[in-house]
Amino acid sequence: MAFRYLVYVSDRKIDMLLPQLDAGATRQRKWEIGFDLKLLKAKATDEPRAGADRVTRLERVVRWLHDHGDLGTVDNPGQFVWGLMPLRWGPMIGQDGHSMIYLGGRDEKTVVGLGGSREHVFGLPGQEAGQGSPLSRSMLPSLLQAITPPGHGTGVDGDEDALAAVHAASTGLRGPAQNMEFIAKRLLQGPGPDGTVVLLGSPLYVALVD
């Protein structure tokens, strides 16, 4: 049995997606299981969304994406991308002076980059919430600005430069790779400088997998 350990959860994306699901998306479904000698019975009761915890809300969105959403894979992405692969990761300071979390890896076909705000790291206090980052790291311009190397201006010029910046950031990460599962919003995809495909996403969640 593989265990998952959440390291990143984007509460902003969860709060954005939940109301767009079905009519009951703003309520948590709680199952009360009772065992009465020979009978196992389940009773469903509704609870207000305000009582739902972070992981329960995440699981609801993930289930919906698997069942009904445009969820593809790293090599065949949809609007959202599911992946399970070795990734290197760590903090990064953008040219705007604000920090972020960046994860990168590759398989035989695709170089992957995932970037998001540090405040969504699971178990980390939201110490940056009040620092006033000018644009969310879930947004493509802010994310590209953060990973563009010094000396290349404040951004990138066109898709080719953007894809090259993602490729350099992902393949330039150092340290041990860890086996990770994720679902991310696809932001950018196209041919990379070495014949691979480059994929940039903003993660809904990232989890370590044994």
Side-chain angles (χ1 to χ4, degrees):
M1 178 179 179
F3 288 95
R4 292 169 175 80
Y5 304 88
L6 287 168
V7 297
Y8 183 99
V9 177
S10 177
D11 298 302
R12 292 195 190 111
K13 291 188 188 67
I14 294 170
D15 290 339
M16 186 183 300
L17 291 171
L18 270 174
Q20 301 179 59
L21 307 187
D22 55 60
T26 58
R27 302 184 68 84
Q28 175 188 3
R29 179 71 69 179
K30 179 181 178 182
W31 289 94
E32 296 177 352
I33 306 297
F35 183 75
D36 183 13
L37 295 178
K38 298 180 180 179
L39 298 177
L40 180 67
K41 55 186 179 181
K43 180 176 65 176
T45 61
D46 285 327
E47 289 187 343
R49 177 184 177 278
D53 63 24
R54 193 179 191 186
V55 176
T56 300
R57 293 185 295 119
L58 169 64
E59 289 175 344
R60 183 173 180 83
V61 173
V62 169
R63 284 197 302 270
W64 190 91
L65 289 173
H66 276 289
D67 293 342
H68 308 290
D70 183 16
L71 182 63
T73 63
V74 166
D75 294 329
N76 187 25
Q79 182 181 4
F80 290 87
V81 180
W82 175 88
L84 176 61
M85 62 191 302
L87 296 174
R88 293 180 171 87
W89 66 297
M92 181 181 292
I93 304 296
Q95 293 195 48
D96 54 14
H98 293 271
S99 63
M100 61 177 287
I101 292 295
Y102 191 81
L103 306 95
R106 65 185 302 167
D107 61 15
E108 294 181 357
K109 298 180 179 179
T110 307
V111 173
V112 178
L114 305 173
S117 301
R118 277 195 65 190
E119 64 189 83
H120 297 313
V121 175
F122 202 80
L124 183 70
Q127 72 271 26
E128 296 189 343
Q131 289 187 6
S133 179
L135 193 61
S136 169
R137 292 303 189 202
S138 297
M139 302 294 186
L140 182 59
S142 178
L143 186 49
L144 288 174
Q145 182 186 54
I147 65 175
T148 302
H152 288 70
T154 58
V156 293
D157 183 17
D159 287 353
E160 184 176 349
D161 284 352
L163 293 164
V166 176
H167 185 281
S170 297
T171 57
L173 289 171
R174 296 296 178 261
Q178 295 179 287
N179 202 40
M180 292 186 168
E181 180 185 67
F182 61 87
I183 287 179
K185 174 69 177 71
R186 176 176 54 84
L187 299 178
L188 185 68
Q189 181 194 19
D194 61 353
T196 60
V197 174
V198 173
L199 174 67
L200 177 65
S202 178
L204 178 65
Y205 79 89
V206 181
L208 291 170
V209 179
D210 285 343

